Amino acid sequence: MVVTFAESKSAQLMIVGKITSVYGVRGWLKVHSYTEPMENILHFSRCWLRNGRNWQSFEIDGGRRHGKGLIAHIKGIDDRDRALDFCQREIAVDGDDMPQLSEGDYYWHQLQGLQVVGDFAGQIFDFGKVLRLMETGANDVMVVGGGKDQRERLIPYLPGDYIRDIDLDAGVITVNWDPEF
């Protein structure tokens, strides 16, 4: 059964990957996963694919690591031509299906858009909002912009060092960061 709903209901969906291209002739697809570890994307019972302004429900009935990436099979899609229709589409899951995190841990989507204020040398500074996060290998980094001086900053996401407090209810992250950086 295919379930489709409009963009207006997509607020409860979380993007977890993207189908990039077909793999082979039996309907398998290459998948770029945003989950950590990447194989976690294969563990969701129901996923959604963006189709223009709508989302379409589907089920992954097989998948595995292949080289540096993943390949997956969508139930009922058994030939390359049908699989082509799914390429370059985002994969999402219902937010309620995401694993619960320990206290003090956050999903990136929870941090994006939060206001970032600095408490540096006894002064409060408005750095703007978290635009996105990125992995650097050593630690994650928040890309923050749109603040008082309109500069874009890269602030290491290191709770206890540079991240003083995260208040999701208030929508504010307090950092220990020099406004001159």
Side-chain angles (χ1 to χ4, degrees):
M1 176 179 181
V2 174
V3 178
T4 304
F5 63 81
E7 183 77 22
S8 62
K9 294 191 180 186
S10 67
Q12 61 208 1
L13 295 179
M14 295 175 44
I15 308 273
V16 293
K18 184 176 184 176
I19 295 175
T20 58
S21 61
V22 295
Y23 174 80
V25 295
R26 295 193 173 150
W28 284 74
L29 296 153
K30 292 182 181 180
V31 174
H32 179 75
S33 174
Y34 306 146
T35 64
E36 180 73 29
M38 77 170 74
E39 293 89 351
N40 282 355
I41 196 171
L42 302 172
H43 299 168
F44 292 101
S45 59
R46 183 170 80 172
C47 296
W48 298 85
L49 278 177
R50 186 186 298 267
N51 186 8
R53 293 182 46 85
N54 295 320
W55 291 91
Q56 180 181 12
S57 175
F58 73 98
E59 183 181 332
I60 295 175
D61 64 0
R64 66 180 185 275
R65 197 172 183 99
H66 181 73
K68 292 183 180 181
L70 294 174
I71 57 172
H73 186 265
I74 296 175
K75 185 177 183 176
I77 306 300
D78 295 320
D79 67 66
R80 184 180 183 90
D81 292 336
R82 286 197 57 209
L84 279 169
D85 292 337
F86 295 92
C87 293
Q88 300 304 310
R89 289 172 57 183
E90 292 178 313
I91 302 169
V93 297
D94 191 311
D96 294 337
D97 292 340
M98 295 295 290
Q100 291 288 13
L101 297 175
S102 303
E103 187 173 329
D105 289 338
Y106 302 93
Y107 286 113
W108 282 11
H109 80 277
Q110 293 176 297
L111 303 177
Q112 290 175 326
L114 294 185
Q115 193 67 36
V116 178
V117 295
D119 178 5
F120 186 77
Q123 294 190 344
I124 302 296
F125 188 84
D126 176 16
F127 289 105
K129 294 186 178 198
V130 177
L131 303 174
R132 64 187 175 281
L133 287 102
M134 60 184 185
E135 288 183 78
T136 64
N139 55 271
D140 296 336
V141 172
M142 297 187 308
V143 179
V144 179
K148 180 179 175 182
D149 62 2
Q150 295 299 310
R151 286 179 45 199
E152 189 172 276
R153 290 178 172 81
L154 303 177
I155 301 175
Y157 183 77
L158 293 170
D161 291 333
Y162 301 113
I163 308 300
R164 290 276 171 98
D165 183 56
I166 298 173
D167 186 341
L168 293 180
D169 293 329
V172 176
I173 298 175
T174 305
V175 298
N176 179 20
W177 193 252
D178 187 340
E180 297 303 314
F181 281 14

